[in-house]
């Protein structure tokens, strides 16, 4: 039984994140999506909201569960029985940080392997920050996030008044 852990802030989840989850499920028997509390990143959504948004979207998927987590990722992965950590790799700009993280995690626990997956090309430029900026300015984010996330963004962000 091969279990992978996909950690992130998911503030909020985008189609890029979903793309990575689908790919991971093709490789692993089960996937745990671990939503980091990450208070120092000052997320727009609470960890409970971020977990709920992913749960709503993956409700009908088997072999996946979504959990909040706090603390040291590698310890959490170990405690959850995961053999691998999944990270999405978009552009070269992701590489340096991800490389550093993967090697640091390996030095903390060499039994857990980090696996990088590339999303479909159309999502390579997509990130949660851009989505929040567009939504904040009243733009249409329907091509970037599922409907439920779009609704929550509208509720959360004050919309600019158009003349
Ligand atoms: P973190 O704070 O851990 O970077 P994110 O929610 O931004 O949290 O990202 C979680 C993981 O998902 C990271 O590995 C990131 O590279 C990946 N990811 C984010 N957006 C995309 C996307 N559009 N396509 C592929 N992977 C993505």
């Amino acid at each position: 039984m091969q279990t992978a852990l996909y950690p992130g802030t998911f503030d909020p989840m985008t189609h890029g994140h979903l793309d990575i989850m689908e790919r991971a499920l093709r490789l692993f028997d089960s996937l745990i999506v671990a939503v980091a509390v990450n208070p120092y990143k000052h997320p727009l959504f609470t960890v409970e909201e971020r977990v709920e948004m992913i749960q709503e979207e993956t409700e009908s998927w088997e072999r996946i569960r979504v959990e909040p987590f706090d603390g040291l990722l590698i310890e959490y992965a170990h405690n959850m029985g995961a053999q691998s950590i999944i990270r999405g790799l978009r552009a070269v700009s992701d590489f340096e940080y991800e490389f550093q993280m993967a090697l640091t995690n390996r030095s903390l626990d060499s039994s857990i392997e980090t696996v990088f997956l590339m999303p479909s090309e159309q999502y390579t430029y997509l990130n949660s920050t851009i989505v929040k900026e567009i939504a904040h300015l009243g733009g249409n984010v329907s091509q970037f996030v599922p409907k439920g996330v779009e609704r929550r963004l509208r509720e959360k962000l004050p919309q600019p008044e158009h003349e």
Side-chain angles (χ1 to χ4, degrees):
M1 177 87 175
Q2 289 292 315
T3 300
L5 189 98
Y6 178 31
T9 314
F10 304 101
D11 185 44
M13 177 190 64
T14 68
H15 283 312
H17 291 126
L18 282 170
D19 178 294
I20 297 295
M21 289 175 207
E22 279 177 349
R23 287 174 203 280
L25 279 171
R26 283 188 219 136
L27 298 174
F28 292 91
D29 300 306
S30 74
L31 182 68
I32 301 163
V33 180
V35 182
V37 175
N38 267 353
Y40 55 89
K41 279 203 171 179
H42 304 292
L44 175 66
F45 292 97
T46 66
V47 70
E48 291 80 14
E49 288 169 330
R50 287 178 275 138
V51 166
E52 266 172 39
M53 283 186 271
I54 305 171
Q55 273 170 345
E56 280 164 19
E57 228 35 59
T58 58
E59 212 170 34
S60 61
W61 301 13
E62 285 167 22
R63 305 185 285 123
I64 189 165
R65 52 195 259 239
V66 191
E67 302 283 348
F69 97 98
D70 204 1
L72 198 59
L73 170 66
I74 200 77
E75 251 173 39
Y76 182 73
H78 183 88
N79 293 341
M80 297 302 274
Q83 295 85 8
S84 304
I85 291 172
I86 302 286
R87 294 288 289 175
L89 210 51
R90 286 160 292 185
V92 183
S93 51
D94 278 343
F95 181 77
E96 200 161 321
Y97 174 71
E98 294 294 342
F99 183 68
Q100 192 181 22
M101 279 260 296
L103 290 185
T104 306
N105 282 333
R106 180 185 282 168
S107 70
L108 295 173
D109 185 340
S110 61
S111 69
I112 297 180
E113 214 51 74
T114 301
V115 177
F116 293 104
L117 297 175
M118 281 172 289
S120 168
E121 266 170 47
Q122 57 188 314
Y123 303 132
T124 49
Y125 61 91
L126 181 58
N127 67 49
S128 302
T129 305
I130 287 177
V131 167
K132 282 180 282 191
E133 278 173 17
I134 297 171
H136 188 65
L137 296 169
N140 181 353
V141 293
S142 60
Q143 57 179 311
F144 307 126
V145 297
K147 286 224 162 355
V149 173
E150 198 186 344
R151 179 180 46 76
R152 283 188 195 240
L153 275 166
R154 260 200 312 271
E155 287 166 5
K156 187 69 101 174
L157 293 168
Q159 299 298 302
E161 286 184 22
H162 292 291
E163 297 288 306

